[in-house]
Amino acid sequence: MKNKILKILDASQDYISGEDISDKCGISRTAIWKHINTLKEEGYQIDSQPRVGYKLLKRPDALLDIEILTGLDTIKWGKEELYTFEEIDSTNIYAKKLASTGKPEGTVVVAEEQTLGKGRLGRKWESPRGKGIWLSFILRPPILPAQAPKITFVVAVGMVRALKKALNIEAKIKWPNDILINKKKVCGILTEISAEIERINYIVVGIGVNAQQNIEDFPPEFRDKATSLKIASSQKVSRVKILQCILEEMEYTYNFYLNKGFAGIINLWREYSITLGEEIKVITHEEEIFGTAIDVADDCCLLVKDESGRIHKIIAGDVSLRKANGEYA
Ligand code: BT5
């Protein structure tokens, strides 16, 4: 009912009386008044004039179902199953629960705040309230488990395209799962998989995008390596619009991968990469390698040539880029 009232207010150019809304909705004027108050609490600016009625002045930049769905141009993603939370432990944890109960591909989970936001290998992902887009979605690709790293590539390419579309920002991909602007991390991707040896049950992809933070909103130790879309574009951004662009570009890029194969994706990945051609340090679980990132293989491994000319094929690890002063960051 609340959403219906919002649609009526939205469609009306001018003030609309409580009586008109109550006729259209078939509920009492007192009930309308209560719903309007709830909308105001959610951040909608609604002017009420005695004997004249109500007028919607401003919508909030809140990750509410109705805001996300209004104008969302996807075929399926977010439209069939969308779960929004004020606060949650982790959108990935919730999406995995949904996936295990059979929820379909394109199911989306979004939160204003995560209390247990996760990075890779159990690391923490800072997810303060209202500052970012903390999002997960379910995929059920008909591919072998060994191909799953390709999904992180697909998502990284989709993210770069989404930021270009939403804000005209040229973001870059740092192997394997970081999106950078001006060499600082604006977004991290966490790909989690449930599989049998020959079949993927589901993949949950989590994306954390820093959106509204000012530099002092980051913990001190992050300030020289993290950024937000607000910092990068020097203006407050619309999280709703960015989220819509992410869902639209993700759906498009993922379907492109399923229908046309990985070659087009990996070529775009190479084009958007900040890692290739750079002198880097890679920390894997067993060693530290210094060298030049020369390419990515078709299985998404990073190929690094060390000083002796030996080529290392890196399956998993953390990359830092060599700066002009010789340090790695
Ligand atoms: C990642 O891990 O970059 C994956 C992050 C995925 C987060 C999303 S949010 C929605 C969904 N639900 C979840 O619970 N997670 C996903 P990794 O490459 O391991 O990077 C983690 C490291 O990035 C941390 O150890 C910090 O150094 C740094 N970090 C933490 N929070 C950050 C932030 N908000 N911005 C930039 N860097 C951050």
Side-chain angles (χ1 to χ4, degrees):
M1 184 53 70
K2 194 182 70 188
N3 289 354
K4 190 168 179 194
I5 296 171
L6 189 58
K7 276 197 183 128
I8 294 171
L9 287 172
D10 202 30
S12 160
Q13 301 294 311
D14 205 348
Y15 285 85
I16 175 161
S17 71
E19 203 172 332
D20 279 355
I21 306 178
S22 121
D23 286 349
K24 285 189 170 137
C25 296
I27 57 171
S28 73
R29 284 169 63 181
T30 317
I32 299 287
W33 178 78
K34 282 189 185 150
H35 283 300
I36 298 259
N37 279 345
T38 313
L39 285 168
K40 284 182 178 170
E41 277 162 22
E42 285 176 352
Y44 291 88
Q45 276 181 34
I46 301 168
D47 190 36
S48 338
Q49 294 283 340
R51 287 182 297 282
V52 181
Y54 303 99
K55 185 173 180 190
L56 177 62
L57 300 177
K58 198 165 175 238
R59 311 181 76 107
D61 186 37
L63 303 176
L64 301 165
D65 296 35
I66 184 155
E67 291 303 305
I68 297 166
L69 292 172
T70 305
L72 176 64
D73 191 15
T74 55
I75 302 160
K76 208 166 90 173
W77 285 38
K79 287 192 172 158
E80 288 177 12
E81 300 272 353
L82 172 65
Y83 298 81
T84 53
F85 295 91
E86 274 281 304
E87 185 185 297
I88 199 168
D89 48 2
S90 151
T91 54
N92 261 43
I93 294 176
Y94 195 81
K96 283 194 284 182
K97 279 186 207 146
L98 292 175
S100 65
T101 65
K103 291 293 180 196
E105 186 156 89
T107 297
V108 172
V109 183
V110 190
E112 289 283 357
E113 178 180 0
Q114 294 185 119
T115 51
L116 267 181
K118 297 188 299 170
R120 290 177 300 151
L121 305 169
R123 293 172 189 147
K124 188 176 173 210
W125 182 258
E126 296 286 334
S127 322
R129 177 168 298 232
K131 298 285 182 191
I133 301 165
W134 323 125
L135 135 96
S136 301
F137 46 81
I138 298 173
L139 301 177
R140 297 184 184 278
I143 58 175
L144 292 171
Q147 312 277 312
K150 291 181 177 172
I151 295 297
T152 305
F153 271 44
V154 169
V155 171
V157 165
M159 253 329 283
V160 171
R161 290 170 53 94
L163 294 180
K164 176 83 184 161
K165 179 171 166 185
L167 296 165
N168 203 22
I169 282 180
E170 311 271 349
K172 293 280 175 194
I173 305 168
K174 190 174 81 152
W175 188 91
N177 68 319
D178 289 351
I179 305 294
L180 309 188
I181 302 176
N182 299 327
K183 300 203 170 162
K184 293 181 173 185
K185 183 159 173 172
V186 71
C187 164
I189 300 163
L190 176 65
T191 309
E192 297 192 272
I193 172 170
S194 157
E196 293 154 34
I197 287 182
E198 290 186 3
R199 189 180 70 141
I200 290 178
N201 299 321
Y202 62 80
I203 292 182
V204 163
V205 178
I207 304 183
V209 188
N210 298 323
Q212 298 305 26
Q213 289 101 326
N214 296 314
I215 197 69
E216 60 276 10
D217 293 325
F218 289 107
E221 66 274 21
F222 285 10
R223 290 185 191 160
D224 58 347
K225 51 184 183 190
T227 191
S228 73
L229 296 175
K230 182 180 176 193
I231 296 169
S233 62
S234 310
Q235 59 182 353
K236 204 163 180 271
V237 293
S238 160
R239 290 181 306 144
V240 169
K241 181 177 167 211
I242 294 158
L243 174 57
Q244 289 173 334
C245 288
I246 292 173
L247 296 180
E248 289 159 12
E249 288 302 314
M250 281 307 155
E251 181 177 68
Y252 175 84
T253 312
Y254 177 67
N255 285 335
F256 181 91
Y257 161 59
L258 291 187
N259 297 328
K260 303 254 161 73
F262 193 55
I265 298 291
I266 201 169
N267 283 338
L268 282 175
W269 193 98
R270 288 187 177 107
E271 189 183 321
Y272 301 152
S273 157
I274 198 172
T275 314
L276 299 185
E278 292 290 314
E279 283 186 56
I280 61 169
K281 174 171 87 173
V282 193
I283 302 175
T284 71
H285 64 285
E286 47 195 17
E287 58 182 336
E288 218 175 67
I289 299 160
F290 292 85
T292 306
I294 53 171
D295 202 0
V296 277
D298 287 344
D299 57 4
C300 302
C301 288
L302 183 65
L303 303 176
V304 182
K305 192 175 184 179
D306 70 17
E307 258 184 5
S308 71
R310 183 177 155 211
I311 293 173
H312 303 255
K313 197 170 175 191
I314 316 289
I315 300 169
D318 283 299
V319 167
S320 21
L321 307 172
R322 190 171 193 270
K323 297 198 288 190
N325 64 6
E327 288 174 12
Y328 288 86

